[in-house]
Amino acid sequence: SYENGALRIENKLDFTDLSSLLYFCWQLKQDGELLASGQLELPSVPPHGTASLKLPLPSYSGSRVYLTVEMRQKEAKPLTPAGHLLGTEQFSLSSQAEEILLPKGNLPIAVSETERFIALSGGDFMYCFNKETGCFDQMTFGGQSLLERPMEYNLYRAPLDNDMYIKKAWQQHGIDRILPPYTYHTTFSQSEDGVAITCPLSLQSVLLANIAEVESVWTVSNSGAVTAELKVKIRETAPYLPRFGLRFFLNPEMKHCTYFGYGPQESYIDKHLGSVIDRHSAFVSEMHEDYIRPQENGSHFGTETVTLASPELALTACSETPFSFSASEYTREELETKAHNWELEKSGYTILSLDYKMSGVGSNS
């Protein structure tokens, strides 16, 4: 543990002094940038004993400050070399929360409305909001298309092996077959900073109406930045949901992903302590976990910001409340319907799933 500027170590072994077994490596980072690092030899920590160690940390302040401590094996063992990583602990030393600052534009948004659509155009962008689905059908920026297909609400996932029982309840309620939302009266208002679209709607399946009632407000600033605020009430008789979020079918050239959250491997609400909070980068093709039986994979828990980019185009999503996301070349429908990994076919999109919550992976197979 870390208390008052010092590491406190407790030795729970019965016979071995920790100083003969391991040493520590530590890093202090802010927003993924290294501030300081070092290696620490342990003093004698006898069986069932404790020790307290001060770290030579530099002065720091602000948000996204994390101390990462690695425990490494001192001597080679029959199966592992010297320096083998035994475990990691991470501590947030932030003095404040990260503040989201959206860009502001100078030119007002031109708005036009038809029975079905609200079209918004600014200096560099053109968005088309579908009043029948409660989502954006088109988003272009700088003359480049972000969306290859309309975005959509996302409640289902390709069942994990551990979902083998709960998936029956999901399917009995039709959560795997969500219909386009039923929207009520959609309105918009314009201010000097942008346009706010209010769209109350109901999410329903082929088998169950009103799985969720949603009060959605989409605010588009003059710069083109979009803020989504969703107030959601889930039907009390519905089973717990696999996920709740939004799915984007992005330009396939947007294949490079950078994010601040748990990584680099996949991480879930009940499976993330083997990951570390940091700024990670990878190509979308590298973020797929290639399970022999295709299933939900590659989500990242505790994310604050994620960017998908091509050489000409980028989309960034961020939230003051950490969320989960995945970026994949495969649809969840493809992952669910194929029995073997070698049968998978790429979608032709970069699929970004932004999840307010993604359910854990559990242990129920």
Side-chain angles (χ1 to χ4, degrees):
S1 58
Y2 185 80
E3 300 169 359
N4 301 319
L7 284 174
R8 182 182 181 276
I9 302 107
E10 179 182 357
N11 183 1
K12 295 191 174 184
L13 299 177
D14 292 326
F15 306 105
T16 306
D17 191 304
L18 282 187
S19 63
S20 67
L21 181 68
L22 56 85
Y23 63 93
F24 286 170
C25 293
W26 61 271
Q27 290 185 332
L28 183 69
K29 287 186 174 183
Q30 182 167 26
D31 200 19
E33 296 295 325
L34 184 65
L35 300 180
S37 63
Q39 183 172 315
L40 199 62
E41 295 292 333
L42 294 183
S44 176
V45 189
H48 302 288
T50 62
S52 183
L53 297 174
K54 279 278 188 181
L55 294 181
L57 300 183
S59 60
Y60 58 87
S61 64
S63 61
R64 293 182 178 173
V65 180
Y66 285 91
L67 172 65
T68 304
V69 180
E70 296 178 342
M71 291 153 278
R72 293 190 173 271
Q73 185 173 289
K74 202 164 190 178
E75 298 177 356
K77 301 290 184 182
L79 297 179
T80 52
H84 177 71
L85 181 64
L86 298 173
T88 302
E89 289 287 352
Q90 197 167 38
F91 309 96
S92 174
L93 306 186
S94 301
S95 59
Q96 64 189 56
E98 179 74 4
E99 183 181 3
I100 295 175
L101 299 175
L102 296 178
K104 294 182 179 181
N106 297 320
L107 298 175
I109 297 174
V111 185
S112 61
E113 183 179 20
T114 66
E115 184 176 349
R116 186 177 177 186
F117 298 106
I118 297 174
L120 311 166
S121 58
D124 291 320
F125 66 91
M126 194 284 288
Y127 304 154
C128 182
F129 186 86
N130 190 329
K131 295 191 287 185
E132 294 183 0
T133 64
C135 288
F136 288 93
D137 272 11
Q138 298 177 5
M139 301 182 84
T140 61
F141 205 96
Q144 304 254 6
S145 175
L146 281 165
L147 297 181
E148 300 290 297
R149 274 174 49 183
M151 60 185 285
E152 60 187 33
Y153 284 93
N154 199 17
L155 276 65
Y156 194 57
R157 70 183 183 194
L160 294 150
D161 288 341
N162 288 349
D163 293 332
M164 61 187 296
Y165 299 115
I166 186 61
K167 78 175 182 182
K168 296 175 183 177
W170 293 340
Q171 292 165 353
Q172 286 169 359
H173 287 81
I175 294 172
D176 59 329
R177 288 163 287 166
I178 296 294
L179 297 171
Y182 181 86
T183 57
Y184 306 103
H185 184 56
T186 300
T187 60
F188 74 89
S189 59
Q190 189 161 13
S191 68
E192 62 179 16
D193 296 323
V195 175
I197 300 172
T198 301
C199 182
L201 58 91
S202 175
L203 298 176
Q204 51 199 336
S205 76
V206 295
L207 299 175
L208 185 68
N210 300 88
I211 290 177
E213 291 291 322
V214 182
E215 293 284 341
S216 69
V217 179
W218 300 83
T219 304
V220 182
S221 77
N222 292 339
S223 68
V226 180
T227 302
E229 182 179 356
L230 309 176
K231 296 181 180 179
V232 183
K233 184 176 181 180
I234 305 297
R235 186 185 179 110
E236 292 181 357
T237 58
Y240 77 82
L241 299 179
R243 68 176 354 139
F244 189 92
L246 297 163
R247 182 160 64 155
F248 299 76
F249 300 87
L250 300 178
N251 187 311
E253 293 303 311
M254 299 171 70
K255 59 182 67 174
H256 188 262
C257 182
T258 303
Y259 62 97
F260 188 86
Y262 281 98
Q265 65 268 50
E266 65 179 12
S267 55
Y268 291 78
I269 193 170
D270 61 346
K271 192 183 83 165
H272 63 273
L273 294 183
S275 308
V276 293
I277 299 174
D278 204 344
R279 184 167 295 281
H280 303 281
S281 294
F283 288 102
V284 172
S285 59
E286 300 169 332
M287 302 176 75
H288 174 73
E289 294 286 349
D290 193 29
Y291 295 116
I292 295 173
R293 187 206 303 270
Q295 54 196 285
E296 159 62 32
N297 74 86
S299 188
H300 291 275
F301 173 74
T303 303
E304 294 183 31
T305 181
V306 56
T307 297
L308 271 297
S310 72
E312 294 84 23
L313 196 62
L315 172 69
T316 296
C318 52
S319 175
E320 293 176 352
T321 302
F323 56 94
S324 290
F325 87 93
S326 63
S328 178
E329 299 174 304
Y330 304 101
T331 64
R332 58 171 170 76
E333 292 85 354
E334 180 73 4
L335 294 173
E336 181 178 20
T337 55
K338 297 299 173 64
H340 307 92
N341 55 353
W342 52 265
E343 297 178 289
L344 289 173
E345 297 180 27
K346 296 178 182 179
S347 65
Y349 313 112
T350 291
I351 298 172
L352 172 64
S353 297
L354 298 178
D355 295 315
Y356 165 74
K357 284 288 194 310
M358 163 65 80
S359 287
V361 299
S363 57
N364 201 28
S365 64

